Amino acid sequence: DAGITQSPRHKVTETGTPVTLRCHQTENHRYMYWYRQDPGHGLRLIHYSYGVKDTDKGEVSDGYSVSRSKTEDFLLTLESATSSQTSVYFCAISLKGGTEAFFGQGTRLTVV
Amino acid sequence: DQQVKQNSPSLSVQEGRISILNCDYTNSMFDYFLWYKKYPAEGPTFLISISSIKDKNEDGRFTVFLNKSAKHLSLHIVPSQPGDSAVYFCAASGTGTGSARQLTFGSGTQLTVLP
């Protein structure tokens, strides 16, 4: 298994609160991604990073921000959580953009 | 507008028979295609990939076929085993810039292999 750790694995939070999800890798891969998985939508890209402090938006970036201050860590922040952000969030890593990505175990987030 | 489409949400197959999972794409800039398998409560795992310069790639029981003119790819699993029961995602990446170069996923197909 690729060395990817997501934390927390489960979280319940209230509408309007900020939430930060963490992804940690031990593989020294350049690219890191945050996806969300929802029924009927598959996996949708939220944000990705192609290096320390280099990030870009994905398909569904509204309401989310990211930071990457170290190669191994990629943080996803929901600035003010809404019920529509209830989802399973997956972090992924890859050596090159657009190639095989390796996924973490996921974080199930519930916004009530 | 979904650029990668998996039109069958579910598929059931008898053990030992062939499973065929289908995927269509609309973006002609896609040039690399992948299949992932996902078990409940786990992250997706990479299964097999194919470049647009090929029309077939085989790895053990898994074969991916690419028909560029039809913008269609399929995953064949022969013979199917109960452990293959999972959600299968098709994904594609392309020659654009920024997020267009990253993986775009279909909505998935739940495969159930019946013993």
Side-chain angles (χ1 to χ4, degrees):
Chain A
D1 286 348
I4 308 170
T5 305
Q6 290 186 232
S7 59
R9 293 294 312 280
H10 302 271
K11 185 169 182 66
V12 180
T13 192
E14 293 186 348
T15 299
T17 61
V19 176
T20 295
L21 308 183
R22 179 181 184 238
C23 178
H24 178 78
Q25 63 147 330
T26 57
E27 306 295 321
N28 201 34
H29 281 22
R30 179 183 175 191
Y31 284 79
M32 297 186 76
Y33 310 86
W34 279 106
Y35 286 88
R36 60 178 287 175
Q37 185 195 3
D38 303 290
H41 291 280
L43 294 150
R44 292 181 292 173
L45 182 64
I46 305 171
H47 282 279
Y48 70 101
S49 169
Y50 47 96
V52 173
K53 296 191 172 142
D54 291 322
T55 65
D56 201 358
K57 295 179 179 180
E59 179 187 355
V60 289
S61 60
D62 287 349
Y64 302 95
S65 62
V66 289
S67 66
R68 192 169 177 197
S69 58
K70 298 185 290 185
T71 299
E72 57 267 33
D73 289 325
F74 192 34
L75 304 180
L76 176 71
T77 297
L78 288 64
E79 292 136 14
S80 177
T82 68
S83 58
S84 65
Q85 293 176 312
T86 292
S87 187
V88 180
Y89 292 84
F90 288 100
C91 174
I93 63 174
S94 68
L95 279 169
K96 292 169 57 178
T99 61
E100 290 83 351
F102 301 95
F103 284 79
Q105 298 273 65
T107 295
R108 182 172 293 277
L109 177 68
T110 303
V111 183
V112 297
Chain B
D1 183 32
Q2 281 193 309
Q3 299 185 71
V4 178
K5 299 177 184 179
Q6 295 178 254
N7 292 317
S8 298
S10 63
L11 174 69
S12 292
V13 171
Q14 286 294 133
E15 181 179 3
R17 306 294 291 269
I18 184 171
S19 295
I20 300 176
L21 296 102
N22 294 304
C23 178
D24 297 296
Y25 62 95
T26 58
N27 189 340
S28 57
M29 301 293 282
F30 286 149
D31 62 358
Y32 193 66
F33 304 89
L34 308 88
W35 284 94
Y36 280 81
K37 178 169 72 174
K38 185 184 180 305
Y39 293 118
E42 294 184 10
T45 55
F46 169 71
L47 201 53
I48 192 169
S49 62
I50 187 167
S51 165
S52 60
I53 63 173
K54 295 185 175 182
D55 54 18
K56 176 183 173 181
N57 189 27
E58 190 172 351
D59 183 2
R61 297 187 296 115
F62 302 91
T63 303
V64 56
F65 295 91
L66 176 62
N67 182 332
K68 289 185 290 295
S69 61
K71 293 191 175 69
H72 177 84
L73 65 155
S74 61
L75 175 69
H76 293 212
I77 306 174
V78 182
S80 300
Q81 300 173 354
D84 295 329
S85 296
V87 176
Y88 288 78
F89 291 101
C90 169
S93 65
T95 57
T97 58
S99 63
R101 287 184 55 84
Q102 310 311 323
L103 297 182
T104 299
F105 284 82
S107 55
T109 297
Q110 170 70 57
L111 173 67
T112 302
V113 180
L114 305 167

